[in-house]
Amino acid sequence: MIGNGRATIVNQVISQSHLFGTRVYVVAPIATTRETALKRLPFLIAGVMAMAAQAYAQDKPTVQLIATGGTIAMKIDPVKKAPVPAISGDDLMATVPDVAKYAKVEVNNLSNVPSDYMDPVRWTALTKAVEETLKRPEVAGVVVSHGTDTLEETAFWLDTTVKSDKPVILIGAQRNASSSDFDGPRNLLNAVRIAVDGQAKGKGAMLAMNNQINAARYVTKTHTANVETFQSGSYGLIGEVYADKVVIDRAPLRRQHIPIVASQMPRVDIVAMYGGADDRMLRSAVDQGAKGIVVQALGMGNVNMPMFEGIKYALSKGVPVVISTRVHNGRVMANYGFEGGGKTLADAGAIMAGDLTPQKSRILLMLLLQQGKTGKEDIQAAFDL
């Protein structure tokens, strides 16, 4: 008992429970009123259960959780009355003691930022952290917790830059940790189960949310709030997570590895085509130092006459231009022969992005440029893979 002049603190056993066959006692400093102690009880129990669970998991495979932030790491701020970064990877782990049934989980709190802040510098640091972890023989895989806004970009970046047969599983949450139906814990538990499952080897980076598994190349966010926001269009899921097992029934075949060799990524901008667009933004991007341009074109990869002139301007300055599309499914092709149609763009020297979205086309072009590949044939070959 310790008196401090204002309150008396007593260490007492305030709860006991059975966890994995072991009796766990929660021992904590309790204020003189039992009411205060009971308010703290859920947090104390969660922390002790997490520690006990990790002790139980010592003989299991190792998985590292690399926490980067996002809604999955947010709570409602009482002053701003809006979600803000608030919890760490360790806090998230404390919500899912059942992971101990499958793995010993380490936590690397790499950052805690909204995914809107992700950029090539942070992506490069993340690749380094993932590769260093996967090189360790005892590590079965890596789970990356991340915001959903740029989650598909980070997934494709890691799928392209990390060289390992071990799985990299990305997760996020559509509901923050203050929500009664917070989806973060379920996604984390599923991701750990996937990471230690032998079926996940050689599949590259995968996104695991809402009990569904999507390949990094094809997945995209399709709804601002729904928990089933991530979909892969006409390509579909590669697997699902059930209560009794993980099912992966196909493998993503169109993958390539591009190592990071530059200390800084070249600037690549995305310029959107729309009804009535002109070439001012495209020309400005070139004049302001862009080393590559991705055009979010229409249909199979078509633009109007002003944008066509802007594309030819960029190509005349030695700036590669990749043509993608705003359409969700299908691929761009050198098809239409009108001025600004896909055929005329390809004939002028533009690169066709195939089925890659504008944002993923930007990542691929950026990685190719940092390797020194600037010719149309080399770049087109990478997009055709």
Side-chain angles (χ1 to χ4, degrees):
M1 181 178 295
I2 302 173
N4 62 4
R6 288 176 293 181
T8 301
I9 307 297
V10 181
N11 282 333
Q12 296 180 356
V13 175
I14 61 174
S15 178
Q16 58 181 334
S17 62
H18 288 85
L19 185 65
F20 309 122
T22 302
R23 186 178 297 273
V24 178
Y25 294 93
V26 180
V27 182
I30 302 300
T32 50
T33 64
R34 184 170 182 80
E35 180 181 354
T36 303
L38 291 174
K39 288 181 180 178
R40 298 184 59 204
L41 181 57
F43 302 99
L44 293 167
I45 292 176
V48 172
M49 288 181 70
M51 288 187 290
Q54 285 304 300
Y56 170 78
Q58 292 304 311
D59 60 340
K60 299 293 192 299
T62 298
V63 171
Q64 185 173 102
L65 167 65
I66 301 179
T68 67
T71 299
I72 197 169
M74 294 186 183
K75 283 189 172 183
I76 300 294
D77 181 271
V79 176
K80 295 182 178 180
K81 301 186 185 306
V84 297
I87 67 174
S88 67
D90 304 274
D91 297 326
L92 182 60
M93 278 299 306
T95 67
V96 280
D98 277 357
V99 296
K101 298 176 183 178
Y102 307 99
K104 172 188 174 184
V105 180
E106 305 172 344
V107 178
N108 176 1
N109 290 298
L110 187 65
S111 63
N112 194 350
V113 297
S115 70
D116 312 84
Y117 294 3
M118 294 301 286
D119 56 21
V121 174
R122 288 189 170 95
W123 282 331
T124 300
L126 182 56
T127 292
K128 181 179 179 181
V130 170
E131 287 192 321
E132 288 179 350
T133 301
L134 293 181
K135 287 177 182 177
R136 294 164 48 196
E138 75 275 16
V139 173
V142 164
V143 174
V144 177
S145 61
H146 194 284
T148 60
D149 284 353
T150 59
L151 185 50
E152 64 202 74
E153 294 178 60
T154 299
F156 183 67
W157 172 280
L158 292 175
D159 191 60
T160 308
T161 60
V162 172
K163 187 174 179 59
S164 176
D165 286 336
K166 296 178 181 180
V168 178
I169 315 299
L170 293 98
I171 60 169
Q174 287 288 81
R175 297 162 181 160
N176 67 75
S178 294
S179 300
S180 59
D181 54 353
F182 179 37
D183 52 326
R186 175 189 291 269
N187 294 334
L188 174 55
L189 177 60
N190 286 345
V192 171
R193 291 178 59 194
I194 298 166
V196 299
D197 195 294
Q199 302 174 86
K201 289 185 177 180
K203 306 298 191 299
M206 293 172 280
L207 197 153
M209 288 182 61
N210 199 42
N211 296 340
Q212 299 173 332
I213 308 171
N214 284 277
R217 179 183 178 91
Y218 302 114
V219 69
T220 191
K221 187 175 182 178
T222 65
H223 196 287
T224 58
N226 197 304
V227 293
E228 196 166 316
T229 178
F230 285 100
Q231 300 179 20
S232 295
S234 56
Y235 293 99
L237 306 175
I238 65 170
E240 294 182 282
V241 181
Y242 293 91
D244 60 335
K245 65 179 179 179
V246 174
V247 176
I248 299 178
D249 52 19
R250 68 182 183 88
L253 299 179
R254 298 184 63 191
R255 300 181 55 230
Q256 58 186 303
H257 175 244
I258 303 177
I260 297 172
V261 296
S263 59
Q264 184 175 354
M265 290 294 137
R267 173 183 160 187
V268 176
D269 290 343
I270 299 174
V271 179
M273 169 64 202
Y274 48 88
D278 59 32
D279 62 346
R280 286 178 296 176
M281 293 182 67
L282 200 155
R283 288 177 179 266
S284 177
V286 174
D287 294 341
Q288 293 297 318
K291 303 303 181 184
I293 301 288
V294 174
V295 175
Q296 180 182 290
L298 309 178
M300 283 188 178
N302 309 309
V303 301
N304 61 12
M305 282 293 294
M307 188 70 82
F308 185 34
E309 292 301 317
I311 291 169
K312 289 191 289 185
Y313 173 76
L315 293 170
S316 72
K317 298 291 186 180
V319 177
V321 178
V322 171
I323 308 299
S324 183
T325 179
R326 72 182 189 185
V327 181
H328 295 298
N329 293 304
R331 54 185 281 258
V332 297
M333 297 173 61
N335 187 50
Y336 287 95
F338 61 82
E339 293 295 292
K343 179 67 164 59
T344 63
L345 293 173
D347 290 344
I351 295 110
M352 296 289 113
D355 58 7
L356 281 182
T357 62
Q359 55 269 31
K360 292 178 183 178
S361 295
R362 171 180 174 261
I363 287 173
L364 182 53
L365 180 57
M366 188 187 305
L367 290 171
L368 292 168
L369 292 175
Q370 61 95 35
Q371 281 197 321
K373 295 181 179 179
T374 57
K376 178 182 177 179
E377 288 188 6
D378 286 341
I379 297 175
Q380 186 66 71
F383 276 90
D384 288 342
L385 189 66

